[in-house]
Amino acid sequence: MRTPSDDISGRLDPLNGDHSNVFAPELGEFPNASERANQMGDKETKTGTTTVGLKTEDGVVLATDMRASLGHMVSSKDVQKVEEIHPRGALTIAGSVSAAQSLIRSIRAEVRLYESRRGEDMSMQALSTLLGNFLRSGAFYIVQPILGGIDDEGAHIYSIDPAGSILEEEYTVTGSGSQYALGVLEQEYSDDLSVDEAKTVAARAIQSAVERDLASGNGINVAVVTEEGVDITRHKDFADLL
């Protein structure tokens, strides 16, 4: 039996022991998040993934593959990697499936709360800042999303890294197959693409990654975001879009 004078601070997980800094500025900081991620290793389901986002004059197009991996095994061939999180906004996921699912639930709740309190939709700049704050907290380790949406200022694509940095782009990619997809986008993207043309370019980019990246495959999810809202479709055959 320990006495009250025993010092066990060095043996406590910050999440279960010292709570003094859990609710730090913004959303709290979890200094051992990376350690927990490393401990999981190949035991955690990950998306592997190739995701792309393109901006057009009339909206944005987001596309992803549909494969999840567990170590060196394909754990799922039918993963939804792009989700609606805002009436005119969607998010792709790359990285830890559990963390990404939790992030999406949290963001959806915050968007609804903002709308109920203010009587208006959150802007894409505010939404990207909120996402960056969530990721900086360390509670959603190993997630690299792409945010795409449209607001009163037009269409937006944001690349947000796992540490929470936010970059607005004309087009962007994430995931293990990103180098293959980026090569296609560099050659075929232009700022005067229509939404339908952007869907074709996005499909070619994902298809290129699927051909060479072992962690990407099994079809394509496509989200088109316009003033009318978010439309997400799923295709097992790339020929549907090419």
Side-chain angles (χ1 to χ4, degrees), residues 1-20:
M1 178 182 296
R2 70 177 181 86
T3 64
S5 61
D6 288 340
D7 181 7
I8 62 170
S9 59
R11 302 196 300 273
L12 287 176
D13 186 309
L15 292 179
N16 299 320
D18 179 12
H19 298 281
S20 61

PDB file of all heavy atoms in Angstrom, residues 1-20:
ATOM      1  N   MET A   1       0.855  -1.198   0.000  1.00  0.00           N
ATOM      2  CA  MET A   1       0.000   0.000   0.000  1.00  0.00           C
ATOM      3  C   MET A   1       0.884   1.239   0.000  1.00  0.00           C
ATOM      4  O   MET A   1       1.819   1.333   0.793  1.00  0.00           O
ATOM      5  CB  MET A   1      -0.899   0.008   1.239  1.00  0.00           C
ATOM      6  CG  MET A   1      -1.789   1.250   1.335  1.00  0.00           C
ATOM      7  SD  MET A   1      -2.795   1.253   2.836  1.00  0.00           S
ATOM      8  CE  MET A   1      -3.798  -0.189   2.545  1.00  0.00           C
ATOM      9  N   ARG A   2       0.591   2.181  -0.882  1.00  0.00           N
ATOM     10  CA  ARG A   2       1.402   3.391  -0.937  1.00  0.00           C
ATOM     11  C   ARG A   2       0.918   4.391   0.104  1.00  0.00           C
ATOM     12  O   ARG A   2      -0.249   4.399   0.496  1.00  0.00           O
ATOM     13  CB  ARG A   2       1.353   4.012  -2.326  1.00  0.00           C
ATOM     14  CG  ARG A   2       0.027   4.626  -2.707  1.00  0.00           C
ATOM     15  CD  ARG A   2       0.124   5.282  -4.075  1.00  0.00           C
ATOM     16  NE  ARG A   2      -1.125   5.899  -4.483  1.00  0.00           N
ATOM     17  CZ  ARG A   2      -1.488   7.134  -4.143  1.00  0.00           C
ATOM     18  NH1 ARG A   2      -0.697   7.866  -3.384  1.00  0.00           N
ATOM     19  NH2 ARG A   2      -2.650   7.634  -4.540  1.00  0.00           N
ATOM     20  N   THR A   3       1.807   5.223   0.542  1.00  0.00           N
ATOM     21  CA  THR A   3       1.445   6.288   1.469  1.00  0.00           C
ATOM     22  C   THR A   3       1.147   7.551   0.691  1.00  0.00           C
ATOM     23  O   THR A   3       1.545   7.696  -0.460  1.00  0.00           O
ATOM     24  CB  THR A   3       2.608   6.570   2.436  1.00  0.00           C
ATOM     25  OG1 THR A   3       3.718   7.054   1.683  1.00  0.00           O
ATOM     26  CG2 THR A   3       2.999   5.311   3.186  1.00  0.00           C
ATOM     27  N   PRO A   4       0.442   8.536   1.292  1.00  0.00           N
ATOM     28  CA  PRO A   4       0.123   9.768   0.570  1.00  0.00           C
ATOM     29  C   PRO A   4       1.334  10.528   0.095  1.00  0.00           C
ATOM     30  O   PRO A   4       1.247  11.358  -0.794  1.00  0.00           O
ATOM     31  CB  PRO A   4      -0.669  10.574   1.614  1.00  0.00           C
ATOM     32  CG  PRO A   4      -1.249   9.556   2.526  1.00  0.00           C
ATOM     33  CD  PRO A   4      -0.219   8.462   2.595  1.00  0.00           C
ATOM     34  N   SER A   5       2.500  10.242   0.670  1.00  0.00           N
ATOM     35  CA  SER A   5       3.701  10.978   0.271  1.00  0.00           C
ATOM     36  C   SER A   5       4.365  10.396  -0.968  1.00  0.00           C
ATOM     37  O   SER A   5       5.294  10.979  -1.508  1.00  0.00           O
ATOM     38  CB  SER A   5       4.719  10.995   1.426  1.00  0.00           C
ATOM     39  OG  SER A   5       5.098   9.671   1.752  1.00  0.00           O
ATOM     40  N   ASP A   6       3.917   9.200  -1.421  1.00  0.00           N
ATOM     41  CA  ASP A   6       4.526   8.596  -2.610  1.00  0.00           C
ATOM     42  C   ASP A   6       4.303   9.488  -3.808  1.00  0.00           C
ATOM     43  O   ASP A   6       3.206  10.010  -4.017  1.00  0.00           O
ATOM     44  CB  ASP A   6       3.908   7.221  -2.899  1.00  0.00           C
ATOM     45  CG  ASP A   6       4.351   6.196  -1.889  1.00  0.00           C
ATOM     46  OD1 ASP A   6       5.384   6.436  -1.239  1.00  0.00           O
ATOM     47  OD2 ASP A   6       3.644   5.167  -1.755  1.00  0.00           O
ATOM     48  N   ASP A   7       5.325   9.626  -4.643  1.00  0.00           N
ATOM     49  CA  ASP A   7       5.225  10.424  -5.874  1.00  0.00           C
ATOM     50  C   ASP A   7       5.013   9.486  -7.048  1.00  0.00           C
ATOM     51  O   ASP A   7       5.904   8.747  -7.433  1.00  0.00           O
ATOM     52  CB  ASP A   7       6.505  11.240  -6.075  1.00  0.00           C
ATOM     53  CG  ASP A   7       6.429  12.107  -7.325  1.00  0.00           C
ATOM     54  OD1 ASP A   7       5.349  12.165  -7.934  1.00  0.00           O
ATOM     55  OD2 ASP A   7       7.463  12.721  -7.676  1.00  0.00           O
ATOM     56  N   ILE A   8       3.806   9.479  -7.592  1.00  0.00           N
ATOM     57  CA  ILE A   8       3.499   8.594  -8.719  1.00  0.00           C
ATOM     58  C   ILE A   8       3.297   9.384  -9.999  1.00  0.00           C
ATOM     59  O   ILE A   8       2.845   8.858 -10.998  1.00  0.00           O
ATOM     60  CB  ILE A   8       2.241   7.754  -8.428  1.00  0.00           C
ATOM     61  CG1 ILE A   8       1.030   8.676  -8.252  1.00  0.00           C
ATOM     62  CG2 ILE A   8       2.463   6.854  -7.227  1.00  0.00           C
ATOM     63  CD1 ILE A   8      -0.287   7.933  -8.202  1.00  0.00           C
ATOM     64  N   SER A   9       3.641  10.666  -9.979  1.00  0.00           N
ATOM     65  CA  SER A   9       3.365  11.513 -11.147  1.00  0.00           C
ATOM     66  C   SER A   9       4.059  11.013 -12.388  1.00  0.00           C
ATOM     67  O   SER A   9       3.553  11.152 -13.496  1.00  0.00           O
ATOM     68  CB  SER A   9       3.784  12.965 -10.865  1.00  0.00           C
ATOM     69  OG  SER A   9       5.173  13.033 -10.564  1.00  0.00           O
ATOM     70  N   GLY A  10       5.234  10.424 -12.216  1.00  0.00           N
ATOM     71  CA  GLY A  10       5.968   9.949 -13.379  1.00  0.00           C
ATOM     72  C   GLY A  10       5.367   8.718 -14.008  1.00  0.00           C
ATOM     73  O   GLY A  10       5.716   8.342 -15.111  1.00  0.00           O
ATOM     74  N   ARG A  11       4.432   8.049 -13.269  1.00  0.00           N
ATOM     75  CA  ARG A  11       3.858   6.815 -13.778  1.00  0.00           C
ATOM     76  C   ARG A  11       2.440   7.010 -14.321  1.00  0.00           C
ATOM     77  O   ARG A  11       1.829   6.072 -14.799  1.00  0.00           O
ATOM     78  CB  ARG A  11       3.827   5.756 -12.679  1.00  0.00           C
ATOM     79  CG  ARG A  11       5.193   5.447 -12.097  1.00  0.00           C
ATOM     80  CD  ARG A  11       5.158   4.144 -11.322  1.00  0.00           C
ATOM     81  NE  ARG A  11       4.230   4.141 -10.221  1.00  0.00           N
ATOM     82  CZ  ARG A  11       4.525   4.560  -8.995  1.00  0.00           C
ATOM     83  NH1 ARG A  11       5.733   5.050  -8.731  1.00  0.00           N
ATOM     84  NH2 ARG A  11       3.631   4.501  -8.029  1.00  0.00           N
ATOM     85  N   LEU A  12       1.896   8.227 -14.220  1.00  0.00           N
ATOM     86  CA  LEU A  12       0.522   8.457 -14.639  1.00  0.00           C
ATOM     87  C   LEU A  12       0.441   8.888 -16.085  1.00  0.00           C
ATOM     88  O   LEU A  12       1.218   9.736 -16.528  1.00  0.00           O
ATOM     89  CB  LEU A  12      -0.127   9.541 -13.765  1.00  0.00           C
ATOM     90  CG  LEU A  12      -0.492   9.148 -12.334  1.00  0.00           C
ATOM     91  CD1 LEU A  12      -1.019  10.369 -11.603  1.00  0.00           C
ATOM     92  CD2 LEU A  12      -1.539   8.048 -12.322  1.00  0.00           C
ATOM     93  N   ASP A  13      -0.479   8.298 -16.820  1.00  0.00           N
ATOM     94  CA  ASP A  13      -0.845   8.801 -18.143  1.00  0.00           C
ATOM     95  C   ASP A  13      -1.543  10.137 -17.945  1.00  0.00           C
ATOM     96  O   ASP A  13      -2.445  10.251 -17.113  1.00  0.00           O
ATOM     97  CB  ASP A  13      -1.798   7.809 -18.819  1.00  0.00           C
ATOM     98  CG  ASP A  13      -2.103   8.190 -20.257  1.00  0.00           C
ATOM     99  OD1 ASP A  13      -2.490   9.350 -20.489  1.00  0.00           O
ATOM    100  OD2 ASP A  13      -1.982   7.307 -21.121  1.00  0.00           O
ATOM    101  N   PRO A  14      -1.158  11.189 -18.704  1.00  0.00           N
ATOM    102  CA  PRO A  14      -1.801  12.496 -18.534  1.00  0.00           C
ATOM    103  C   PRO A  14      -3.316  12.448 -18.692  1.00  0.00           C
ATOM    104  O   PRO A  14      -4.018  13.305 -18.162  1.00  0.00           O
ATOM    105  CB  PRO A  14      -1.159  13.338 -19.650  1.00  0.00           C
ATOM    106  CG  PRO A  14       0.174  12.706 -19.875  1.00  0.00           C
ATOM    107  CD  PRO A  14      -0.055  11.237 -19.657  1.00  0.00           C
ATOM    108  N   LEU A  15      -3.828  11.461 -19.418  1.00  0.00           N
ATOM    109  CA  LEU A  15      -5.273  11.397 -19.594  1.00  0.00           C
ATOM    110  C   LEU A  15      -5.962  10.829 -18.352  1.00  0.00           C
ATOM    111  O   LEU A  15      -7.143  11.076 -18.125  1.00  0.00           O
ATOM    112  CB  LEU A  15      -5.626  10.540 -20.812  1.00  0.00           C
ATOM    113  CG  LEU A  15      -5.231  11.119 -22.163  1.00  0.00           C
ATOM    114  CD1 LEU A  15      -5.632  10.151 -23.266  1.00  0.00           C
ATOM    115  CD2 LEU A  15      -5.890  12.469 -22.393  1.00  0.00           C
ATOM    116  N   ASN A  16      -5.238  10.037 -17.537  1.00  0.00           N
ATOM    117  CA  ASN A  16      -5.837   9.396 -16.381  1.00  0.00           C
ATOM    118  C   ASN A  16      -5.349   9.977 -15.057  1.00  0.00           C
ATOM    119  O   ASN A  16      -5.940   9.736 -14.018  1.00  0.00           O
ATOM    120  CB  ASN A  16      -5.532   7.898 -16.390  1.00  0.00           C
ATOM    121  CG  ASN A  16      -6.105   7.221 -17.613  1.00  0.00           C
ATOM    122  OD1 ASN A  16      -7.199   7.540 -18.020  1.00  0.00           O
ATOM    123  ND2 ASN A  16      -5.357   6.311 -18.205  1.00  0.00           N
ATOM    124  N   GLY A  17      -4.275  10.729 -15.096  1.00  0.00           N
ATOM    125  CA  GLY A  17      -3.704  11.266 -13.873  1.00  0.00           C
ATOM    126  C   GLY A  17      -3.811  12.766 -13.783  1.00  0.00           C
ATOM    127  O   GLY A  17      -4.822  13.311 -13.342  1.00  0.00           O
ATOM    128  N   ASP A  18      -2.779  13.471 -14.228  1.00  0.00           N
ATOM    129  CA  ASP A  18      -2.737  14.925 -14.111  1.00  0.00           C
ATOM    130  C   ASP A  18      -3.673  15.564 -15.125  1.00  0.00           C
ATOM    131  O   ASP A  18      -3.429  15.527 -16.314  1.00  0.00           O
ATOM    132  CB  ASP A  18      -1.292  15.407 -14.336  1.00  0.00           C
ATOM    133  CG  ASP A  18      -1.184  16.922 -14.245  1.00  0.00           C
ATOM    134  OD1 ASP A  18      -2.160  17.549 -13.787  1.00  0.00           O
ATOM    135  OD2 ASP A  18      -0.128  17.441 -14.628  1.00  0.00           O
ATOM    136  N   HIS A  19      -4.737  16.176 -14.648  1.00  0.00           N
ATOM    137  CA  HIS A  19      -5.714  16.804 -15.526  1.00  0.00           C
ATOM    138  C   HIS A  19      -5.514  18.314 -15.614  1.00  0.00           C
ATOM    139  O   HIS A  19      -6.361  19.010 -16.142  1.00  0.00           O
ATOM    140  CB  HIS A  19      -7.138  16.519 -15.033  1.00  0.00           C
ATOM    141  CG  HIS A  19      -7.490  15.073 -15.038  1.00  0.00           C
ATOM    142  ND1 HIS A  19      -7.850  14.389 -16.185  1.00  0.00           N
ATOM    143  CD2 HIS A  19      -7.504  14.161 -14.042  1.00  0.00           C
ATOM    144  CE1 HIS A  19      -8.091  13.132 -15.894  1.00  0.00           C
ATOM    145  NE2 HIS A  19      -7.883  12.959 -14.595  1.00  0.00           N
ATOM    146  N   SER A  20      -4.418  18.819 -15.094  1.00  0.00           N
ATOM    147  CA  SER A  20      -4.254  20.266 -14.992  1.00  0.00           C
ATOM    148  C   SER A  20      -4.182  20.944 -16.341  1.00  0.00           C
ATOM    149  O   SER A  20      -4.520  22.122 -16.461  1.00  0.00           O
ATOM    150  CB  SER A  20      -2.982  20.582 -14.191  1.00  0.00           C
ATOM    151  OG  SER A  20      -1.839  20.055 -14.857  1.00  0.00           O
TER     152      SER A  20
END
